[in-house]
Amino acid sequence: MATCTRTVWKVLAGCQRHLLSSGGPTYTGVKQTAQRNLPVRTFAAVRAQKKDKKPDAEKEEKKKKEKRVIDDTNRHKPFGKTAWAPVDDVYVLRHYPRTILDAADAVDMLKNFQALDFTDREQPVYVDLKLDMKLEKKKKVDLFVSTVHLPHPFKTGLNKVLVFTEDADQVKVAQENGAFVVGGAELIQPILDDEISADFYVAVPEILPKLTALKNKLRKKFPKSKRGSVGVNLPKMLNLFRSGHEYLVEDERYVRTQFATLDMPKDQILSNLQTVLIDVCSHRPANMGPFIERAIVSSQTSEALWFRSEGVLPKPAEKKDEDE
């Protein structure tokens, strides 16, 4: 009997070794000591190849994303369009390039829109400019605020100008030149309490350190030398800000401002528009090319009309005259 039992255990042990060597699963309570032959992974080399190809793939994607610049010069029609200009009065906009008018024609159209729509004749006229703020070496033109004298003001009244000064002689000069309120540090609390407010705030350099409490209150109206609201020549500053028109650069590159009313004569509207464009272009560094990329004019109730800004700006003097 003992011999039969030993024979059975030998047979079971042999079956176990056979199963372990073949890698198959076992269901016995015997401890598994045989080593399995694990497969070799080959994914590392494949991943390395993909990483090497990534730069090339990125370059191809960049090339696809780059806009294709097509030169339409001397073409009988623009690329992808039907013609340069429509023949009929009714046409599909996307089949033709955008219509860009002369400034005089755009003003005439605004006046015609008002007559056809029976809207207010005294509605404001706006100009919307998109500026090229880029400079060399990834620099940009600093955002600016400017005040300009329009040759034909569209406002009936004068602006209220508050002057900060503590000098008795300067107080007298400011009052003689039409200042709305003149004073020193005693005006800070009334301004914070909204008891006193003005359209513009002017200050002499000596009093600026005492006005720091008004920076958060006045914000863009706080006196600054860049805006011309800090200086010693009070008559000049008061003359500018009492009758001047202020505009600023918004959203990094846009100028949107009113410059006339639609009931004004056409030549006065164009004169005001030219004054604004000349002042805007004066903030562009010399020899940096055109400053205005896109110009739009519109009234309060009309559609936006694109116009050629270079036709409004004065032409530069010819070099021949300088040589002579």
Side-chain angles (χ1 to χ4, degrees):
M1 185 67 182
T3 305
C4 294
T5 302
R6 285 194 297 271
T7 305
V8 171
W9 278 107
K10 289 179 180 180
V11 172
L12 290 176
C15 293
Q16 182 183 5
R17 286 193 297 270
H18 177 71
L19 291 173
L20 290 173
S21 63
S22 62
T26 60
Y27 301 96
T28 62
V30 183
K31 187 177 179 180
Q32 299 180 6
T33 57
Q35 296 181 356
R36 295 188 180 185
N37 297 325
L38 298 176
V40 179
R41 293 182 62 181
T42 59
F43 300 108
V46 177
R47 288 181 180 176
Q49 291 177 0
K50 287 184 178 179
K51 287 183 179 179
D52 295 339
K53 291 183 179 179
K54 273 187 178 180
D56 297 336
E58 291 178 356
K59 288 181 181 179
E60 291 179 359
E61 290 180 359
K62 286 182 180 180
K63 288 181 180 179
K64 290 180 181 179
K65 290 181 180 179
E66 289 179 357
K67 293 183 179 180
R68 183 183 176 188
V69 180
I70 299 174
D71 187 10
D72 287 332
T73 308
N74 299 326
R75 289 177 59 92
H76 65 284
K77 65 177 182 178
F79 181 80
K81 303 292 183 179
T82 302
W84 283 104
V87 179
D88 301 328
D89 294 335
V90 180
Y91 57 92
V92 182
L93 288 175
R94 68 175 181 271
H95 292 169
Y96 300 90
R98 184 182 296 276
T99 303
I100 302 179
L101 307 169
D102 292 332
D105 296 337
V107 173
D108 289 336
M109 291 185 68
L110 293 180
K111 289 182 173 292
N112 291 334
F113 292 156
Q114 181 273 324
L116 294 173
D117 297 337
F118 298 99
T119 54
D120 185 11
R121 293 185 67 253
E122 297 181 359
Q123 59 184 296
V125 182
Y126 302 97
V127 63
D128 188 335
L129 305 175
K130 180 181 179 182
L131 307 180
D132 181 12
M133 305 289 282
K134 295 180 181 179
L135 295 175
E136 295 179 351
K137 298 181 180 180
K138 297 183 179 180
K139 295 182 180 180
K140 292 184 178 180
V141 180
D142 296 332
L143 303 183
F144 56 88
V145 180
S146 182
T147 304
V148 60
H149 267 300
L150 296 177
H152 307 284
F154 57 87
K155 293 181 180 180
T156 55
L158 297 176
N159 299 319
K160 297 179 180 179
V161 183
L162 186 147
V163 179
F164 289 105
T165 182
E166 293 179 340
D167 184 87
D169 295 335
Q170 292 177 343
V171 170
K172 184 178 180 180
V173 172
Q175 292 174 347
E176 292 176 353
N177 285 271
F180 173 62
V181 177
V182 185
E186 71 276 4
L187 298 177
I188 295 177
Q189 193 58 42
I191 294 174
L192 293 175
D193 296 337
D194 295 328
E195 296 177 2
I196 299 176
S197 62
D199 298 318
F200 296 96
Y201 297 84
V202 173
V204 294
E206 294 79 10
I207 201 173
L208 278 181
K210 300 181 181 180
L211 305 179
T212 54
L214 294 175
K215 283 188 176 181
N216 293 333
K217 179 67 176 180
L218 300 181
R219 296 189 179 183
K220 294 181 180 179
K221 292 184 177 181
F222 188 80
K224 290 185 179 180
S225 56
K226 290 183 178 180
R227 300 179 185 176
S229 55
V230 176
V232 181
N233 193 345
L234 292 178
K236 181 180 178 181
M237 291 190 295
L238 286 168
N239 182 35
L240 173 64
F241 289 106
R242 288 187 70 211
S243 59
H245 175 68
E246 185 183 52
Y247 68 89
L248 63 136
V249 179
E250 302 173 340
D251 301 331
E252 301 296 330
R253 59 188 311 180
Y254 295 95
V255 173
R256 304 180 180 99
T257 183
Q258 180 185 354
F259 67 95
T261 55
L262 201 56
D263 62 328
M264 295 172 61
K266 176 182 174 181
D267 57 343
Q268 293 185 5
I269 296 176
L270 293 176
S271 179
N272 284 356
L273 178 61
Q274 185 184 49
T275 302
V276 173
L277 295 186
I278 291 174
D279 189 77
V280 169
C281 292
S282 65
H283 293 82
R284 178 71 164 178
N287 302 324
M288 290 301 297
F291 194 27
I292 301 175
E293 291 184 346
R294 184 263 292 151
I296 297 176
V297 65
S298 63
S299 66
Q300 191 174 20
T301 60
S302 73
E303 62 181 270
L305 301 176
W306 293 48
F307 70 95
R308 300 180 184 89
S309 59
E310 59 272 12
V312 181
L313 294 170
K315 296 181 180 179
E318 296 181 357
K319 294 183 179 180
K320 293 181 179 179
D321 297 340
E322 297 179 357
D323 297 337
E324 291 178 0

